[in-house]
Amino acid sequence: MPEPSEPEPVVEFDPPAASVAWSPEFVAQTLEVLFVCLGPEGVRSLRPVHADSLRLGWPPAAKPGELVVEAAARYGLRALLVHSTSWRHEESRVVITYLAVVEPPDELSPHLADEPDGRSDLARGDAFGPPPEIRVPHVLEHALRHLAWLVKDDAVVRDTLGDTWGASLERYVPEPFRPLDSAR
């Protein structure tokens, strides 16, 4: 009687991309969402009442923009535009921040706080490292300056947000142009 042969593998896996197995040593990802809308006085920040920003787990197969739109809907908000604005390393995880421009709600969820944008300096690091501390107001300032640049430079953003947002973002001088404005 012949010896049974080894079956062919159904799937072959490539070698791992890293030598660190899934463990506490693995860097996790967190999706941070900053909701903003326009009020009569200008840009407003809508944040969860329990935190400075909304933090979401990010399943590997999920598309972050879709998660942001779904999160907005859970709070009764309609997203007009979502845009990845920054990332940072925080407490052994990577935090990727999305700015979500939403329509002003007819009725604010009791789970959201509505605050005027208080403006902030940007957090600054050195040539080889991040700032020693990055807080949500720093990230929001960066995001709004980025949006101020995009509304002038990106046709999709400009067409989506229109002239009202463009005018409201005039006070957020995009960072690359700030030195030029102070030279006048």
Side-chain angles (χ1 to χ4, degrees):
M1 180 175 248
E3 290 284 321
S5 63
E6 289 291 316
E8 290 292 313
V10 177
V11 176
E12 286 191 37
F13 292 100
D14 289 334
S19 60
V20 178
W22 182 269
S23 73
E25 297 168 0
F26 187 81
V27 175
Q29 299 178 116
T30 299
L31 189 60
E32 176 179 58
V33 183
L34 303 175
F35 297 117
V36 293
C37 68
L38 276 184
E41 317 276 302
V43 178
R44 312 279 309 167
S45 173
L46 305 175
R47 64 167 184 79
V49 293
H50 67 279
D52 292 335
S53 65
L54 178 63
R55 300 287 183 102
L56 304 171
W58 183 356
K63 294 180 180 172
E66 291 175 5
L67 290 174
V68 172
V69 171
E70 290 170 13
R74 285 180 169 249
Y75 282 99
L77 302 172
R78 182 177 168 277
L80 301 172
L81 177 98
V82 297
H83 186 75
S84 170
T85 186
S86 65
W87 71 272
R88 65 189 180 279
H89 189 257
E90 180 183 275
E91 299 176 11
S92 73
R93 67 182 171 270
V94 174
V95 178
I96 300 175
T97 304
Y98 267 69
L99 184 69
V101 177
V102 299
E103 285 184 350
D106 293 329
E107 187 175 327
L108 187 65
S109 164
H111 306 291
L112 288 175
D114 180 351
E115 303 169 337
D117 174 42
R119 301 297 311 262
S120 175
D121 288 331
L122 295 178
R124 304 249 184 225
D126 62 31
F128 297 100
E133 179 182 46
I134 303 172
R135 295 184 341 268
V136 172
H138 298 136
V139 178
L140 182 58
E141 180 72 22
H142 172 84
L144 290 169
R145 289 184 191 189
H146 187 88
L147 190 61
W149 171 65
L150 287 174
V151 82
K152 293 175 189 252
D153 188 64
D154 185 302
V156 171
V157 174
R158 184 175 46 254
D159 293 346
T160 300
L161 298 183
D163 294 335
T164 306
W165 266 97
S168 295
L169 292 169
E170 287 290 323
R171 65 188 211 134
Y172 298 91
V173 176
E175 195 62 23
F177 307 110
R178 199 167 248 216
L180 298 175
D181 283 351
S182 63
R184 290 184 191 174

